[in-house]
Amino acid sequence: MMGRSHCVIGGLVGLGIGYIALGPMDPAGIVASSAIGAGAGLLPDLDEPGSTVSHFGGLGTICVSSIVRTLARGHRKGTHSLLGIGVFGLLFLFLSWLSPHSLACVAGLLAALVARVACSQLRLLHLMRYLVEIIFGSVIGWLALSVSPRTIIAIIVTGMISHCLGDDLTDGGTPWLWPANHRFSMHLFHTGSKTESVIFWVLVGILGWALFVVVGTHTTTLVHELAAQVR
């Protein structure tokens, strides 16, 4: 259940960084930033073979998840630490060095992952889910071409940090200083509890309001930029 909450928190983080880095006159970039952050909020759970991110790419991501889980020594360990987040950041930095457009592809995949979470909540049919994932991922990938690699990496890293901070609120906590085993936890609620569900819907409302405030006044500009990308 925490997956959807991580998604929304990451979306808020991405929106904030996008707004600061790009300014209010780039609504397309801000929307892309929010989508990237939402997807990045799920990345630490790549250490769990049963998670949404691990099943996203079928057998390929399941195999990657198994490797990550082995390297991370289990769930909520290596990938939920400063060391693990740093490794991810260096990996994406290396990708951006190989090709400036590689991070736009990563952005598209993260956006498609977000679409899958949203479609699961809406209980859409599988065919409709795939169409939404492809369309949303493609659009965000195009829009991300106008966002600098450094900004995308900052959003991904911060989105992963937001995931760990969210886990800190639960009884499980996170081992920020892994491989040291000490876990930081505020023990406010259990994963999947009614408290988490209430928090999730409050965060959805905040994210929707924030997107409306930041992007709503520039809707025409956003539509024009989307049309330009399609052409």
Side-chain angles (χ1 to χ4, degrees):
M1 290 292 288
M2 276 294 287
R4 61 180 190 175
S5 300
H6 289 313
C7 222
V8 178
I9 296 172
L12 282 167
V13 168
L15 187 150
I17 294 178
Y19 185 84
I20 293 171
L22 306 173
M25 299 307 295
D26 187 3
I30 294 174
V31 169
S33 298
S34 183
I36 294 167
L42 297 171
L43 282 181
D45 279 344
L46 195 57
D47 63 3
E48 176 51 61
S51 65
T52 301
V53 63
S54 296
H55 282 270
F56 175 65
L59 182 60
T61 48
I62 290 175
C63 291
V64 170
S65 175
S66 297
I67 294 172
V68 170
R69 183 180 179 87
T70 299
L71 294 175
R73 304 295 178 87
H75 181 47
R76 283 200 186 186
K77 291 186 177 179
T79 60
H80 290 65
S81 68
L82 293 174
L83 176 60
I85 294 171
V87 170
F88 272 92
L90 290 175
L91 173 62
F92 290 120
L93 184 62
F94 177 69
L95 283 177
S96 69
W97 176 76
L98 287 178
S99 171
H101 298 320
S102 61
L103 290 183
C105 295
V106 171
L109 290 172
L110 291 176
L113 176 60
V114 174
R116 174 163 298 189
V117 173
C119 289
S120 297
Q121 292 298 307
L122 297 173
R123 302 183 185 279
L124 298 182
L125 297 176
H126 286 291
L127 179 59
M128 183 62 70
R129 291 183 186 185
Y130 296 141
L131 289 174
V132 172
E133 289 171 20
I134 292 171
I135 293 172
F136 188 64
S138 298
V139 170
I140 295 302
W142 281 328
L143 296 180
L145 289 171
S146 64
V147 182
S148 72
R150 285 187 298 179
T151 299
I152 293 177
I153 293 172
I155 292 171
I156 292 175
V157 169
T158 311
M160 293 183 69
I161 291 174
S162 75
H163 178 113
C164 298
L165 289 173
D167 282 348
D168 282 343
L169 301 178
T170 69
D171 52 350
T174 51
W176 285 97
L177 301 179
W178 185 88
N181 291 321
H182 178 71
R183 289 177 177 265
F184 297 86
S185 173
M186 297 181 68
H187 299 282
L188 296 182
F189 57 85
H190 300 286
T191 300
S193 65
K194 291 183 178 179
T195 301
E196 183 203 333
S197 183
V198 171
I199 293 174
F200 166 73
W201 287 112
V202 170
L203 291 173
V204 168
I206 294 173
L207 178 59
W209 173 80
L211 283 170
F212 175 77
V213 170
V214 174
V215 181
T217 55
H218 302 287
T219 304
T220 302
T221 303
L222 176 59
V223 172
H224 286 165
E225 290 191 35
L226 286 173
Q229 292 289 349
V230 172
R231 288 198 298 267

